[in-house]
Structure formats: structure tokens, C-alpha cells
Amino acid sequence: MTSIETNKLPVLLTIRSEQRYEDTEPDSIELMTEGTLVLTGENGIVLSYQESELTGLEGTTTAFEIQGPQVILTRKGNVNSQMVFEEGKQHTSLYETPFGELAIGIQTSRLRHSLTERGGLMDIQYSISVDHSVTGRNAFKIRVRRKHEFRENGPS
């Protein structure tokens, strides 16, 4: 067993994702799912979980990797993408669609988190632009709680 595997902590994630496009009502999804939290290096954390039919990304693993002032969202599986969030900065990301790859700009307006090995909260607000035109404003709010395992015979 590698040291990464021994550092995997089971967690419960409550993920609220909201997308706003001009002249439309916000589209939001709230999802509760099981995932893992891995402590990496100095103050680094990786949250990962399996997407479901509810999100339209079934067969995809999503990971949020916290590295200093950045959070990198990576999706692998049926959908592959990587998005870099850093408050006050714009990053260009490649987003894979069934029709080909698309370069999108990610401008992060807010990135806050209080995550530790015990859980916590993460709040990311950002806009997406294609060809330098903002196409939508989005947000992730993620609550992380440690999952406490019960013995097979129940609590003693």
C-alpha cells in the first residue's frame, strides 16, 4: 500500500453548483456523495469523488486539488477537463466535449476554503469566457465532513 492510499480519508461531500447565464434563471444542482480527502505535501489537499447520472457526468472522477492560492479541478473518464482557479487571476483551460476540445478562460472572483483533515468548506465563484466573451458566471460551494465508519455489527 502506498503512502497516498494510507492517507485517503473517507468523507461526505455536499456540493452545490450554480450556473448563471444572461437573461436566464440560475441553474443549480445540489449533490451529496461519498468521496475521499487526501493530504498532500505542505497544506495540500485533494478532494475526489465519482460523478453520477444526476450531474450528467456519470463515469467521470472529479478531483479538487488545493495547492497554495490555487485550486485545480480535474475531471477524468467520460469527460476530461482541467480548470485552474486562482482568485483575481484568469487561467486558460482546455475543456473536452464530444465535438472536440474548447479553450475557455476561467476568471476567479472568489476562492475561500477552510479545509483540513477534519473537513470544512470551500467556496469558488468564477466566470467562463469563450473567445474573450463571458458566457456564464458559476459557483461551487462544497461542504466536507469526515465519514465515521461503523463496525459491521453496529456501534458498540
Side-chain angles (χ1 to χ4, degrees):
M1 204 186 275
T2 67
S3 61
I4 293 271
E5 289 170 338
T6 58
N7 292 332
K8 277 189 176 182
L9 305 171
V11 292
L12 292 172
L13 304 168
T14 304
I15 303 161
R16 182 176 172 81
S17 173
E18 187 173 279
Q19 298 177 320
R20 294 177 177 265
Y21 300 101
E22 283 194 36
D23 305 324
T24 63
E25 289 293 313
D27 182 23
S28 63
I29 294 175
E30 186 160 301
L31 166 72
M32 279 191 71
T33 189
E34 294 181 9
T36 59
L37 182 150
V38 177
L39 300 174
T40 62
E42 193 175 313
N43 299 325
I45 293 176
V46 177
L47 289 175
S48 62
Y49 63 94
Q50 295 294 317
E51 293 285 355
S52 70
E53 198 175 323
L54 177 67
T55 62
L57 299 172
E58 191 173 21
T60 301
T61 300
T62 295
F64 287 90
E65 184 176 352
I66 299 157
Q67 299 178 338
Q70 291 185 342
V71 173
I72 301 167
L73 177 138
T74 305
R75 289 195 168 113
K76 292 183 180 169
N78 290 341
V79 173
N80 295 296
S81 68
Q82 185 177 67
M83 298 164 71
V84 178
F85 303 102
E86 187 171 1
E87 189 170 315
K89 295 194 176 175
Q90 177 158 333
H91 289 272
T92 301
S93 298
L94 231 51
Y95 199 85
E96 187 180 288
T97 73
F99 310 104
E101 291 182 343
L102 181 65
I104 58 174
I106 305 293
Q107 176 72 42
T108 306
S109 57
R110 179 180 171 87
L111 194 160
R112 301 278 187 275
H113 81 84
S114 61
L115 293 172
T116 68
E117 71 276 0
R118 292 187 298 281
L121 299 169
M122 183 164 55
D123 179 16
I124 302 173
Q125 295 176 19
Y126 63 101
S127 59
I128 292 179
S129 59
V130 177
D131 291 333
H132 307 290
S133 294
V134 173
T135 59
R137 300 192 189 289
N138 304 320
F140 284 111
K141 289 190 190 313
I142 302 173
R143 180 175 180 201
V144 181
R145 289 177 291 175
R146 285 287 298 274
K147 181 180 173 192
H148 297 289
E149 304 289 337
F150 283 97
R151 291 190 203 149
E152 285 186 30
N153 298 335
S156 53

